[in-house]
Every structure is written in structure tokens, then in C-alpha cells.
Amino acid sequence: MGEATQSRRARLRVETTSEIKSIALKHMATGGPAAVSLRGIAREMGMTAGAIYSYFANRDDLITALTVDVYESLAQTLEASHQGAPTGSPAAQMLAHARAYRTWAVAHPEEFRLLYGDPVPGYQPPAAGAAQEAEHRLCAVLLDLVASAWPEASAAEKGSDYDWSDFQPSLTALTRESFPDLPPAAVALCLRLWSRMHGLLTLEIYGHLRHQVTDPGKLYEADMHDLIHTLGLTPPR
């Protein structure tokens, strides 16, 4: 009986935590990052302020938990896209990655804005911990993509003048530990690929393309094919 009671309590805690996060994202969607308030969420759920603070010590803890969830969700999506792409074809993997990135962002606009939009007012992200680990996992996904393409793409990067000192120590350490064969130029390429995939997508998510194009996906797809060609790779048909 005691174990059953504890199991039920644990399940209810997980469900309540999930509901708090869902409502936080909803408030963010309607009022922006500044609208996230533990007291406001508690009122909507019919909880006391004291009760909700037993789940999250403060608003920053909630924002950090949301950030970890979003990083993990995106990383899992992109990892799956690599696994589902044809093996031995960096171009196919790159295109699959880009498509998965856009599909996820269009389906989760508030989560995308949480990661890449304006900072939450007053929020102080922790210097280390689960959020940083989740962000590094996402970086590793893109580095893995570059590592598979580097034997062919490196020719397009000749003359690049990069050194490890050009990057933050955390990114340098992640790269040299997980992908010891990649040179600094490959890390620069990784960041430029991210920027290229991110650019049009950000315009789409924030609504800046709605008055210019009828199909943002078509524009994005064309840009990704151009990106792949730029690296000397051949996109799949």
C-alpha cells in the first residue's frame, strides 16, 4: 500500500510539473517571455502560490527546466533525422537535418522563441548544469553533421584562418573531446551552417515572410540546396 501511494504521488507530481510547463509556454505565447509568472500559473491551475513553489523554487528554475526540455526535444529530433538519412551521404544527412529543424520549429514556435528569441527579462541562466549539458548535446548534433561532411566539404574551406582561440573554451573542449579529428575550420563551418539554416527559419517563425512568400518551405528548401552546393556536395534528388 505504501509503495502504491508513493507511486501515485510520483505520477501526480510528474503530471503537475508537465501542466505547469505547458501553461508557462501558453502564457509565453500570448504575452511574451515576461508573462511567465509562477503565481499566474498557480491561479490558472487553482493552486496556492505556496503549492506551486514546491515544484519550482522560483521563476528562473521554471525557465531553466523549460529550456532543458526544449534543447532535448530538438536534439532528439535532429539525431533521429541523421539516423533516418542514407548512410554515406553527407548531403542527404545535411538536408534531412535542415528539414527536421524547420519541421520542429514550425510545430513548436514558442519553444523556438524560448531558445532563440529575446532573452526572458531578468532571467539569469545557470553557468553550469542540465541546461548547459542540453545545449552541448545540441551542438554535438551539428558537429556530428559537419564531421560526416568534412572529408568532402574541407576543400571548400581551404584558406580558412581559424584557431582554437577563436572559439569559447566550452565549444573547443566539446569538439576536441567528441570529434578530435576536426580542425578549428570545421567548427567555424559548423557555426556558419547553423546560421544559414537558422536565418530564413527565424524570419518565418517571427512572421516576417508572410507578406513576401506563399510557401516559406519552398524558399528554405532552395536555400538548403544552395548551401549544400556551396560546400561542394551534391544534394539528393
Side-chain angles (χ1 to χ4, degrees):
M1 179 69 72
E3 290 182 1
T5 300
Q6 290 179 358
S7 176
R8 183 167 61 252
R9 286 175 179 169
R11 185 175 66 252
L12 289 173
R13 185 172 182 83
V14 169
E15 292 173 354
T16 302
T17 300
S18 178
E19 185 178 0
I20 291 170
K21 291 177 180 178
S22 295
I23 292 175
L25 288 172
K26 183 180 72 173
H27 288 185
M28 195 176 294
T30 56
V36 178
S37 160
L38 285 178
R39 290 181 178 274
I41 295 170
R43 283 195 300 270
E44 182 165 337
M45 295 178 66
M47 298 174 66
T48 65
I52 200 169
Y53 282 110
S54 69
Y55 289 87
F56 296 98
N58 50 52
R59 186 208 59 166
D60 280 10
D61 279 357
L62 172 57
I63 297 298
T64 298
L66 285 172
T67 300
V68 171
D69 286 353
V70 175
Y71 273 131
E72 293 289 347
S73 170
L74 179 53
Q76 289 171 9
T77 297
L78 297 178
E79 286 168 352
S81 76
H82 293 197
Q83 295 169 1
T87 58
S89 175
Q93 290 183 336
M94 198 170 291
L95 195 57
H97 179 108
R99 288 169 173 168
Y101 188 25
R102 178 178 178 272
T103 298
W104 179 90
V106 170
H108 303 89
E110 295 316 315
E111 289 88 336
F112 181 89
R113 291 188 182 103
L114 177 63
L115 293 187
Y116 304 120
D118 293 334
V120 178
Y123 172 61
Q124 296 295 326
Q132 189 178 67
E133 292 172 4
E135 184 179 8
H136 283 178
R137 178 183 175 185
L138 194 55
C139 287
V141 175
L142 195 53
L143 283 167
D144 180 63
L145 184 69
V146 170
S148 67
W150 188 246
E152 298 175 59
S154 59
E157 300 300 302
K158 283 184 177 180
S160 298
D161 184 21
Y162 291 101
D163 188 81
W164 290 117
S165 62
D166 292 320
F167 309 103
Q168 293 291 347
S170 58
L171 179 57
T172 295
L174 172 65
T175 305
R176 301 186 79 169
E177 179 181 347
S178 303
F179 304 92
D181 295 332
L182 285 183
V187 181
L189 174 60
C190 176
L191 295 174
R192 292 195 295 108
L193 285 178
W194 177 39
S195 174
R196 185 76 175 264
M197 293 178 182
H198 190 72
L200 273 176
L201 187 51
T202 301
L203 291 175
E204 179 181 0
I205 296 301
Y206 278 87
H208 298 302
L209 293 179
R210 72 166 61 98
H211 299 301
Q212 283 74 34
V213 296
T214 57
D215 185 0
K218 183 177 181 179
L219 188 66
Y220 184 81
E221 184 84 3
D223 194 45
M224 292 305 99
H225 277 257
D226 178 70
L227 168 62
I228 292 170
H229 277 299
T230 299
L231 295 175
L233 305 175
T234 302
R237 292 186 178 181

